[in-house]
Amino acid sequence: MRTQVVIIGSGPSGLLLGELLKGAGIETIILDRVGKDYILGRVRAGVLEEGTVGLLREAGAAARMDREGLPHDGFSLAFDGRDHRIDLHGLTGKRVMVYGQTEVTADLIQRREASGALTIYEAADVTPHAFETSSPYVTFEKDGSTHRIDCDFIAGCDGYHGASRRAVPREALKTFERVYPFGWLGILADVPPVSDELIYANHPRGFALCSMRSQTRSRYYIQCALDEKVEDWSDDRFYDELRRRLPAEHAESMVTGPSFEKSIAPLRSFVAEPMRFGSLFLVGDAAHIVPPTGAKGLNLAASDVHYLFEGLRDLYLEQSATALNAYSVRALKRVWGAVRFSWSMTMLMHRFPDAGDFGQKIQEAELDYLVHSQSASTALAENYVGLPY
Ligand code: RFL
Ligand code: PHB
């Protein structure tokens, strides 16, 4: 087999890249380790920046998002027993779109299927080869035999645990990492959200987040210890703990109901530099991870895709390699901006095991400053709606 660009990974970054390239007449094959049903069942991000929304429109995959997504003009920081609204739109002129990553992925897969472009699911042992040359290829196992796809470029869109970053020689990669001493226990339930906007709560018992997927579906998270077990958290126990961490008005009005998804996610910051090795490009979670507190992971994956798409389009359509050669530098600049913001939101909102009452007081003083200073609120809002591309 031969194609122009092999995309490893059928997550949001691989699918979005595939659609944008298709629009420019550039052919791709997508390979994924797992099956389509598994991909469509994954529950992850919920908040899209305007830049991400724009890219989905450019990819022709935005019709349902534009109908069903919830544009949000602000969110709340809850601490000291009450809400403090951050007016995103008033402070920046921008808003965010609440629309689940599961739906983004479903919409992109549907577009790809409608066009007949090839995705190979359940491809085992996917391996990039000869990417230090201009004739790279990818091999994989499927149905008991080994297959090979020759190509011009390989896009490693296969997430943190993927094969692409692992194929790069260790000495060619510099990595930066911080692991946080807690996780997020999250549930999805078909109950109306406790508020029209997201609530990020700082509480002495730990962080809590009230998010949503629609007017009838809520996504709630609480900070938990890393050794917690999902089985030990009945829905009642979860809601009781969530209510304790929220201002009384929300705790009292919260509608509860059975969850249909419950999982624990660890929190980590991670960056691998550079993001290009010859003909192999790392994109999205394959190159970097941020803790979800700033809602940036999917949005960073989308901005990487934007830079890579521009580079490949200019090369194929205008024979210019300038943008492609700038991919790693341009992407990493934006990555570090979001890594910094996600880290600072994580430090500000969570209870750290060794912080004590002093740490709690410092967080509350910083939160108080953030919500009462127009310039501090604007800095927060600018980062939350997304730094420019
Ligand atoms: P993905 O989504 O991990 O997709 C990678 C794909 O590659 C496949 N794969 C392989 N294929 C072939 N061979 C291999 N060896 C392979 N290994 C893996 C996988 O099966 C998969 O299909 O990476 P991508 O596309 O870069 O997308 C990144 C986003 O998924 C991620 O950054 C976000 O979900 C992070 N995130 C959030 N981001 C936001 O922008 N806003 C949010 O509100 C937000 N909330 C979250 C989040 C992530 C969370 N968790 C569970 C980590 C909330 C949570 C709880
Ligand atoms: C979500 O809805 O899953 C979500 C929203 C905001 C975040 C993280 C996750 O910061």
Side-chain angles (χ1 to χ4, degrees):
M1 272 186 279
R2 182 173 169 88
T3 191
Q4 290 175 299
V5 182
V6 171
I7 298 175
I8 307 179
S10 178
S13 55
L15 289 162
L16 180 59
L17 180 65
E19 284 315 288
L20 292 170
L21 290 174
K22 191 177 74 201
I26 300 163
E27 194 186 278
T28 62
I29 295 176
I30 297 186
L31 298 171
D32 205 290
R33 187 167 48 103
V34 299
K36 188 167 95 176
D37 289 347
Y38 186 86
I39 292 170
L40 291 173
R42 279 197 294 241
V43 180
R44 286 180 171 182
V47 177
L48 309 180
E49 296 171 356
E50 281 186 9
T52 307
V53 167
L55 284 168
L56 288 167
R57 292 197 182 122
E58 194 180 337
R64 193 162 67 103
M65 176 191 70
D66 282 329
R67 263 194 332 269
E68 298 175 11
L70 306 172
H72 279 203
D73 285 350
F75 69 85
S76 266
L77 287 176
F79 59 96
D80 207 13
R82 42 187 215 97
D83 276 338
H84 306 261
R85 185 169 188 267
I86 301 293
D87 179 4
L88 295 173
H89 192 253
L91 292 163
T92 68
K94 293 186 178 154
R95 38 177 66 95
V96 291
M97 178 76 91
V98 173
Y99 189 65
Q101 178 171 331
T102 315
E103 311 311 318
V104 170
T105 309
D107 296 347
L108 287 164
I109 288 182
Q110 197 193 30
R111 285 283 299 176
R112 187 166 178 88
E113 285 182 349
S115 75
L118 180 60
T119 298
I120 301 171
Y121 296 107
E122 293 168 353
D125 207 9
V126 176
T127 312
H129 300 272
F131 47 83
E132 63 287 0
T133 75
S134 54
S135 308
Y137 62 97
V138 177
T139 57
F140 61 97
E141 307 288 325
K142 169 105 183 158
D143 301 328
S145 49
T146 305
H147 303 261
R148 168 178 171 145
I149 311 176
D150 290 279
C151 56
D152 303 328
F153 297 104
I154 302 168
C157 302
D158 48 355
Y160 180 68
H161 299 287
S164 304
R165 195 182 66 253
R166 269 188 282 123
V168 175
R170 212 171 255 280
E171 61 279 8
L173 209 64
K174 178 151 176 62
T175 59
F176 304 82
E177 185 166 36
R178 172 146 308 180
V179 177
Y180 301 91
F182 41 73
W184 281 16
L185 170 62
I187 66 161
L188 260 183
D190 278 331
V191 291
V194 68
S195 164
D196 291 344
E197 296 182 337
L198 270 62
I199 304 169
Y200 290 81
N202 172 298
H203 189 275
R205 294 182 68 89
F207 171 74
L209 169 60
C210 301
S211 181
M212 66 193 74
R213 289 294 176 272
S214 70
Q215 314 279 17
T216 55
R217 180 168 290 182
S218 297
R219 177 78 165 145
Y220 293 136
Y221 298 97
I222 53 173
Q223 174 185 351
C224 66
L226 276 173
D227 56 3
E228 288 288 354
K229 304 251 175 316
V230 174
E231 309 79 79
D232 294 339
W233 286 85
S234 65
D235 288 347
D236 284 345
R237 184 177 173 208
F238 180 93
Y239 285 120
D240 284 346
E241 186 58 39
L242 176 60
R243 275 190 289 241
R244 280 194 199 108
R245 299 181 188 189
L246 297 177
E249 52 162 323
H250 298 308
E252 282 155 20
S253 68
M254 176 175 287
V255 179
T256 61
S259 68
F260 59 89
E261 202 270 349
K262 196 182 279 160
S263 52
I264 294 179
L267 268 70
R268 168 194 310 271
S269 299
F270 172 86
V271 182
E273 293 188 350
M275 289 171 60
R276 177 188 185 169
F277 305 88
S279 312
L280 170 68
F281 295 84
L282 300 181
V283 183
D285 279 17
H288 42 73
I289 296 287
V290 286
T293 330
K296 289 287 162 251
L298 171 59
N299 293 300
L300 270 189
S303 59
D304 289 354
V305 166
H306 163 79
Y307 296 127
L308 183 56
F309 167 63
E310 277 195 350
L312 292 170
R313 182 199 57 198
D314 286 4
L315 187 80
Y316 280 109
L317 305 189
E318 293 163 27
Q319 289 72 50
S320 164
T322 311
L324 198 58
N325 289 339
Y327 168 72
S328 181
V329 170
R330 289 174 85 194
L332 280 168
K333 184 165 161 50
R334 195 167 189 281
V335 166
W336 276 110
V339 169
R340 187 211 66 79
F341 175 65
S342 305
W343 164 83
S344 74
M345 281 286 280
T346 302
M347 299 301 287
L348 179 65
M349 299 306 296
H350 293 80
R351 183 78 174 170
F352 281 75
D354 53 358
D357 294 343
F358 179 81
Q360 180 68 27
K361 285 286 182 192
I362 292 290
Q363 285 181 338
E364 285 171 14
E366 187 171 348
L367 283 162
D368 191 65
Y369 171 66
L370 257 183
V371 300
H372 290 108
S373 153
Q374 164 106 355
S375 36
S377 300
T378 306
L380 170 67
E382 269 175 9
N383 279 277
Y384 193 82
V385 299
L387 296 173
Y389 284 15

